[in-house]
mmCIF file of all heavy atoms in Angstrom:
data_model
loop_
_atom_site.group_PDB
_atom_site.id
_atom_site.type_symbol
_atom_site.label_atom_id
_atom_site.label_comp_id
_atom_site.label_asym_id
_atom_site.label_seq_id
_atom_site.Cartn_x
_atom_site.Cartn_y
_atom_site.Cartn_z
ATOM 1 N N LEU A 1 9.212 -18.537 -14.068
ATOM 2 C CA LEU A 1 9.360 -17.222 -13.455
ATOM 3 C C LEU A 1 8.008 -16.756 -12.917
ATOM 4 O O LEU A 1 7.003 -16.778 -13.634
ATOM 5 C CB LEU A 1 9.888 -16.222 -14.490
ATOM 6 C CG LEU A 1 10.140 -14.782 -14.016
ATOM 7 C CD1 LEU A 1 11.258 -14.746 -12.970
ATOM 8 C CD2 LEU A 1 10.489 -13.890 -15.208
ATOM 9 N N LEU A 2 7.986 -16.335 -11.657
ATOM 10 C CA LEU A 2 6.791 -15.795 -11.025
ATOM 11 C C LEU A 2 7.098 -14.393 -10.514
ATOM 12 O O LEU A 2 8.243 -14.090 -10.181
ATOM 13 C CB LEU A 2 6.349 -16.657 -9.837
ATOM 14 C CG LEU A 2 6.201 -18.165 -10.038
ATOM 15 C CD1 LEU A 2 5.773 -18.817 -8.714
ATOM 16 C CD2 LEU A 2 5.199 -18.482 -11.130
ATOM 17 N N GLY A 3 6.078 -13.542 -10.419
ATOM 18 C CA GLY A 3 6.305 -12.228 -9.838
ATOM 19 C C GLY A 3 5.379 -11.173 -10.376
ATOM 20 O O GLY A 3 4.379 -11.453 -11.043
ATOM 21 N N SER A 4 5.723 -9.911 -10.093
ATOM 22 C CA SER A 4 4.928 -8.762 -10.508
ATOM 23 C C SER A 4 5.774 -7.513 -10.249
ATOM 24 O O SER A 4 6.868 -7.391 -10.778
ATOM 25 C CB SER A 4 3.591 -8.737 -9.752
ATOM 26 O OG SER A 4 2.718 -7.765 -10.273
ATOM 27 N N HIS A 5 5.306 -6.598 -9.394
ATOM 28 C CA HIS A 5 6.042 -5.369 -9.103
ATOM 29 C C HIS A 5 5.717 -4.930 -7.678
ATOM 30 O O HIS A 5 4.716 -5.366 -7.101
ATOM 31 C CB HIS A 5 5.643 -4.251 -10.080
ATOM 32 C CG HIS A 5 4.206 -3.845 -9.955
ATOM 33 N ND1 HIS A 5 3.791 -2.767 -9.184
ATOM 34 C CD2 HIS A 5 3.065 -4.372 -10.475
ATOM 35 C CE1 HIS A 5 2.472 -2.654 -9.259
ATOM 36 N NE2 HIS A 5 2.001 -3.617 -10.023
ATOM 37 N N ILE A 6 6.547 -4.034 -7.104
ATOM 38 C CA ILE A 6 6.258 -3.539 -5.761
ATOM 39 C C ILE A 6 6.166 -2.016 -5.707
ATOM 40 O O ILE A 6 5.902 -1.458 -4.636
ATOM 41 C CB ILE A 6 7.277 -4.032 -4.708
ATOM 42 C CG1 ILE A 6 8.682 -3.500 -4.999
ATOM 43 C CG2 ILE A 6 7.262 -5.558 -4.624
ATOM 44 C CD1 ILE A 6 9.662 -3.748 -3.845
ATOM 45 N N ASP A 7 6.385 -1.320 -6.820
ATOM 46 C CA ASP A 7 6.180 0.131 -6.815
ATOM 47 C C ASP A 7 4.683 0.416 -6.785
ATOM 48 O O ASP A 7 3.870 -0.424 -7.182
ATOM 49 C CB ASP A 7 6.837 0.786 -8.025
ATOM 50 C CG ASP A 7 6.259 0.309 -9.345
ATOM 51 O OD1 ASP A 7 6.316 -0.905 -9.607
ATOM 52 O OD2 ASP A 7 5.735 1.142 -10.121
ATOM 53 N N SER A 8 4.321 1.608 -6.307
ATOM 54 C CA SER A 8 2.900 1.932 -6.148
ATOM 55 C C SER A 8 2.533 3.201 -6.896
ATOM 56 O O SER A 8 3.386 3.967 -7.346
ATOM 57 C CB SER A 8 2.558 2.123 -4.659
ATOM 58 O OG SER A 8 2.912 3.431 -4.216
ATOM 59 N N GLN A 9 1.228 3.429 -6.982
ATOM 60 C CA GLN A 9 0.710 4.707 -7.443
ATOM 61 C C GLN A 9 1.030 5.788 -6.401
ATOM 62 O O GLN A 9 1.386 5.467 -5.262
ATOM 63 C CB GLN A 9 -0.803 4.609 -7.638
ATOM 64 C CG GLN A 9 -1.231 3.789 -8.844
ATOM 65 C CD GLN A 9 -0.979 4.514 -10.153
ATOM 66 O OE1 GLN A 9 -1.047 5.737 -10.223
ATOM 67 N NE2 GLN A 9 -0.690 3.758 -11.199
ATOM 68 N N PRO A 10 0.893 7.080 -6.746
ATOM 69 C CA PRO A 10 1.136 8.135 -5.754
ATOM 70 C C PRO A 10 0.286 7.978 -4.496
ATOM 71 O O PRO A 10 0.727 8.325 -3.401
ATOM 72 C CB PRO A 10 0.785 9.417 -6.506
ATOM 73 C CG PRO A 10 1.040 9.084 -7.946
ATOM 74 C CD PRO A 10 0.643 7.643 -8.086
ATOM 75 N N GLU A 11 -0.936 7.474 -4.650
ATOM 76 C CA GLU A 11 -1.759 7.047 -3.521
ATOM 77 C C GLU A 11 -2.200 5.626 -3.823
ATOM 78 O O GLU A 11 -3.184 5.401 -4.516
ATOM 79 C CB GLU A 11 -2.967 7.967 -3.320
ATOM 80 C CG GLU A 11 -2.600 9.364 -2.858
ATOM 81 C CD GLU A 11 -3.809 10.187 -2.451
ATOM 82 O OE1 GLU A 11 -4.947 9.648 -2.497
ATOM 83 O OE2 GLU A 11 -3.627 11.360 -2.097
ATOM 84 N N GLY A 12 -1.443 4.667 -3.337
ATOM 85 C CA GLY A 12 -1.639 3.292 -3.762
ATOM 86 C C GLY A 12 -2.112 2.358 -2.676
ATOM 87 O O GLY A 12 -2.126 2.696 -1.485
ATOM 88 N N GLY A 13 -2.493 1.162 -3.102
ATOM 89 C CA GLY A 13 -2.896 0.110 -2.183
ATOM 90 C C GLY A 13 -1.729 -0.799 -1.860
ATOM 91 O O GLY A 13 -0.697 -0.794 -2.527
ATOM 92 N N TRP A 14 -1.911 -1.627 -0.839
ATOM 93 C CA TRP A 14 -0.810 -2.461 -0.347
ATOM 94 C C TRP A 14 -0.626 -3.758 -1.118
ATOM 95 O O TRP A 14 0.391 -4.439 -0.955
ATOM 96 C CB TRP A 14 -1.016 -2.752 1.133
ATOM 97 C CG TRP A 14 -2.108 -3.741 1.489
ATOM 98 C CD1 TRP A 14 -3.437 -3.608 1.256
ATOM 99 C CD2 TRP A 14 -1.946 -4.989 2.177
ATOM 100 N NE1 TRP A 14 -4.133 -4.691 1.743
ATOM 101 C CE2 TRP A 14 -3.233 -5.547 2.323
ATOM 102 C CE3 TRP A 14 -0.860 -5.679 2.693
ATOM 103 C CZ2 TRP A 14 -3.453 -6.772 2.956
ATOM 104 C CZ3 TRP A 14 -1.069 -6.899 3.324
ATOM 105 C CH2 TRP A 14 -2.344 -7.432 3.455
ATOM 106 N N LEU A 15 -1.600 -4.093 -1.996
ATOM 107 C CA LEU A 15 -1.566 -5.387 -2.660
ATOM 108 C C LEU A 15 -1.257 -5.314 -4.157
ATOM 109 O O LEU A 15 -0.830 -6.314 -4.745
ATOM 110 C CB LEU A 15 -2.913 -6.102 -2.478
ATOM 111 C CG LEU A 15 -3.265 -6.467 -1.037
ATOM 112 C CD1 LEU A 15 -4.701 -6.964 -0.957
ATOM 113 C CD2 LEU A 15 -2.301 -7.511 -0.491
ATOM 114 N N ASP A 16 -1.481 -4.180 -4.766
ATOM 115 C CA ASP A 16 -1.275 -4.020 -6.202
ATOM 116 C C ASP A 16 0.174 -4.334 -6.551
ATOM 117 O O ASP A 16 1.088 -3.582 -6.209
ATOM 118 C CB ASP A 16 -1.632 -2.579 -6.594
ATOM 119 C CG ASP A 16 -1.469 -2.301 -8.076
ATOM 120 O OD1 ASP A 16 -1.070 -3.206 -8.828
ATOM 121 O OD2 ASP A 16 -1.749 -1.155 -8.481
ATOM 122 N N GLY A 17 0.404 -5.464 -7.221
ATOM 123 C CA GLY A 17 1.755 -5.878 -7.573
ATOM 124 C C GLY A 17 2.454 -6.598 -6.446
ATOM 125 O O GLY A 17 3.004 -7.688 -6.640
ATOM 126 N N ALA A 18 2.439 -6.013 -5.254
ATOM 127 C CA ALA A 18 3.141 -6.596 -4.111
ATOM 128 C C ALA A 18 2.673 -8.020 -3.828
ATOM 129 O O ALA A 18 3.473 -8.900 -3.477
ATOM 130 C CB ALA A 18 2.936 -5.717 -2.882
ATOM 131 N N LEU A 19 1.374 -8.256 -3.978
ATOM 132 C CA LEU A 19 0.843 -9.605 -3.756
ATOM 133 C C LEU A 19 1.541 -10.620 -4.651
ATOM 134 O O LEU A 19 1.944 -11.696 -4.191
ATOM 135 C CB LEU A 19 -0.665 -9.620 -4.022
ATOM 136 C CG LEU A 19 -1.319 -11.004 -4.052
ATOM 137 C CD1 LEU A 19 -1.184 -11.709 -2.710
ATOM 138 C CD2 LEU A 19 -2.782 -10.902 -4.464
ATOM 139 N N GLY A 20 1.676 -10.293 -5.928
ATOM 140 C CA GLY A 20 2.282 -11.233 -6.871
ATOM 141 C C GLY A 20 3.740 -11.524 -6.571
ATOM 142 O O GLY A 20 4.222 -12.653 -6.768
ATOM 143 N N VAL A 21 4.456 -10.526 -6.067
ATOM 144 C CA VAL A 21 5.876 -10.714 -5.756
ATOM 145 C C VAL A 21 6.047 -11.582 -4.510
ATOM 146 O O VAL A 21 6.855 -12.523 -4.497
ATOM 147 C CB VAL A 21 6.567 -9.356 -5.568
ATOM 148 C CG1 VAL A 21 8.010 -9.551 -5.085
ATOM 149 C CG2 VAL A 21 6.552 -8.570 -6.878
ATOM 150 N N ILE A 22 5.285 -11.289 -3.460
ATOM 151 C CA ILE A 22 5.436 -12.063 -2.226
ATOM 152 C C ILE A 22 4.876 -13.475 -2.392
ATOM 153 O O ILE A 22 5.418 -14.438 -1.828
ATOM 154 C CB ILE A 22 4.772 -11.330 -1.049
ATOM 155 C CG1 ILE A 22 5.428 -9.958 -0.856
ATOM 156 C CG2 ILE A 22 4.896 -12.153 0.223
ATOM 157 C CD1 ILE A 22 6.934 -9.998 -0.629
ATOM 158 N N ALA A 23 3.810 -13.625 -3.177
ATOM 159 C CA ALA A 23 3.312 -14.974 -3.479
ATOM 160 C C ALA A 23 4.373 -15.762 -4.239
ATOM 161 O O ALA A 23 4.597 -16.952 -3.970
ATOM 162 C CB ALA A 23 2.025 -14.887 -4.289
ATOM 163 N N ALA A 24 5.035 -15.112 -5.191
ATOM 164 C CA ALA A 24 6.106 -15.771 -5.943
ATOM 165 C C ALA A 24 7.230 -16.215 -5.017
ATOM 166 O O ALA A 24 7.765 -17.329 -5.136
ATOM 167 C CB ALA A 24 6.632 -14.814 -7.020
ATOM 168 N N LEU A 25 7.606 -15.334 -4.090
ATOM 169 C CA LEU A 25 8.669 -15.664 -3.146
ATOM 170 C C LEU A 25 8.292 -16.869 -2.295
ATOM 171 O O LEU A 25 9.116 -17.772 -2.080
ATOM 172 C CB LEU A 25 8.941 -14.448 -2.251
ATOM 173 C CG LEU A 25 9.992 -14.620 -1.158
ATOM 174 C CD1 LEU A 25 11.357 -14.927 -1.759
ATOM 175 C CD2 LEU A 25 10.061 -13.358 -0.288
ATOM 176 N N GLU A 26 7.049 -16.925 -1.821
ATOM 177 C CA GLU A 26 6.624 -18.052 -0.992
ATOM 178 C C GLU A 26 6.597 -19.354 -1.794
ATOM 179 O O GLU A 26 7.017 -20.403 -1.294
ATOM 180 C CB GLU A 26 5.253 -17.777 -0.372
ATOM 181 C CG GLU A 26 4.692 -18.943 0.445
ATOM 182 C CD GLU A 26 5.648 -19.429 1.534
ATOM 183 O OE1 GLU A 26 6.411 -18.606 2.096
ATOM 184 O OE2 GLU A 26 5.645 -20.647 1.813
ATOM 185 N N VAL A 27 6.118 -19.300 -3.032
ATOM 186 C CA VAL A 27 6.105 -20.513 -3.859
ATOM 187 C C VAL A 27 7.533 -20.969 -4.142
ATOM 188 O O VAL A 27 7.832 -22.172 -4.117
ATOM 189 C CB VAL A 27 5.327 -20.280 -5.172
ATOM 190 C CG1 VAL A 27 5.465 -21.486 -6.106
ATOM 191 C CG2 VAL A 27 3.851 -20.019 -4.868
ATOM 192 N N ALA A 28 8.446 -20.026 -4.383
ATOM 193 C CA ALA A 28 9.848 -20.389 -4.623
ATOM 194 C C ALA A 28 10.452 -21.065 -3.398
ATOM 195 O O ALA A 28 11.181 -22.068 -3.517
ATOM 196 C CB ALA A 28 10.648 -19.147 -5.002
ATOM 197 N N ARG A 29 10.153 -20.533 -2.207
ATOM 198 C CA ARG A 29 10.661 -21.149 -0.975
ATOM 199 C C ARG A 29 10.080 -22.544 -0.776
ATOM 200 O O ARG A 29 10.809 -23.498 -0.459
ATOM 201 C CB ARG A 29 10.310 -20.268 0.231
ATOM 202 C CG ARG A 29 11.134 -19.015 0.349
ATOM 203 C CD ARG A 29 10.848 -18.239 1.614
ATOM 204 N NE ARG A 29 9.500 -17.716 1.674
ATOM 205 C CZ ARG A 29 9.184 -16.518 2.157
ATOM 206 N NH1 ARG A 29 10.126 -15.720 2.624
ATOM 207 N NH2 ARG A 29 7.932 -16.106 2.200
ATOM 208 N N ALA A 30 8.763 -22.651 -0.947
ATOM 209 C CA ALA A 30 8.117 -23.949 -0.753
ATOM 210 C C ALA A 30 8.628 -24.975 -1.756
ATOM 211 O O ALA A 30 8.810 -26.153 -1.415
ATOM 212 C CB ALA A 30 6.599 -23.790 -0.882
ATOM 213 N N ALA A 31 8.858 -24.541 -2.984
ATOM 214 C CA ALA A 31 9.363 -25.448 -4.013
ATOM 215 C C ALA A 31 10.765 -25.935 -3.669
ATOM 216 O O ALA A 31 11.083 -27.128 -3.833
ATOM 217 C CB ALA A 31 9.344 -24.765 -5.370
ATOM 218 N N ARG A 32 11.618 -25.048 -3.176
ATOM 219 C CA ARG A 32 12.974 -25.455 -2.790
ATOM 220 C C ARG A 32 12.922 -26.425 -1.615
ATOM 221 O O ARG A 32 13.685 -27.406 -1.561
ATOM 222 C CB ARG A 32 13.817 -24.237 -2.437
ATOM 223 C CG ARG A 32 14.182 -23.374 -3.640
ATOM 224 C CD ARG A 32 15.045 -22.197 -3.239
ATOM 225 N NE ARG A 32 16.398 -22.603 -2.898
ATOM 226 C CZ ARG A 32 17.375 -22.782 -3.778
ATOM 227 N NH1 ARG A 32 17.145 -22.630 -5.084
ATOM 228 N NH2 ARG A 32 18.578 -23.151 -3.397
ATOM 229 N N GLU A 33 12.028 -26.169 -0.685
ATOM 230 C CA GLU A 33 11.888 -27.054 0.467
ATOM 231 C C GLU A 33 11.377 -28.424 0.065
ATOM 232 O O GLU A 33 11.686 -29.430 0.718
ATOM 233 C CB GLU A 33 10.954 -26.416 1.495
ATOM 234 C CG GLU A 33 11.556 -25.183 2.161
ATOM 235 C CD GLU A 33 10.528 -24.325 2.884
ATOM 236 O OE1 GLU A 33 9.321 -24.667 2.838
ATOM 237 O OE2 GLU A 33 10.917 -23.309 3.488
ATOM 238 N N ALA A 34 10.594 -28.461 -1.030
ATOM 239 C CA ALA A 34 10.027 -29.733 -1.506
ATOM 240 C C ALA A 34 10.936 -30.439 -2.502
ATOM 241 O O ALA A 34 10.620 -31.539 -2.954
ATOM 242 C CB ALA A 34 8.662 -29.470 -2.146
ATOM 243 N N GLY A 35 12.038 -29.796 -2.877
ATOM 244 C CA GLY A 35 12.944 -30.405 -3.848
ATOM 245 C C GLY A 35 12.557 -30.139 -5.288
ATOM 246 O O GLY A 35 13.019 -30.831 -6.199
#
């Protein structure tokens, strides 16, 4: 299982949590493509 979160602070940055979720999604896609 890979991931993190995508909710933000009231004044938040674009990468906090979101990076981990989208990185997880890309690794999951690449892994499926690689078998």
Side-chain angles (χ1 to χ4, degrees):
L1 181 65
L2 309 179
S4 189
H5 64 96
I6 64 169
D7 62 301
S8 82
Q9 288 287 328
E11 292 189 2
W14 73 297
L15 296 171
D16 181 359
L19 170 62
V21 173
I22 300 303
L25 178 62
E26 176 54 32
V27 173
R29 286 185 295 219
R32 289 181 73 85
E33 291 164 358

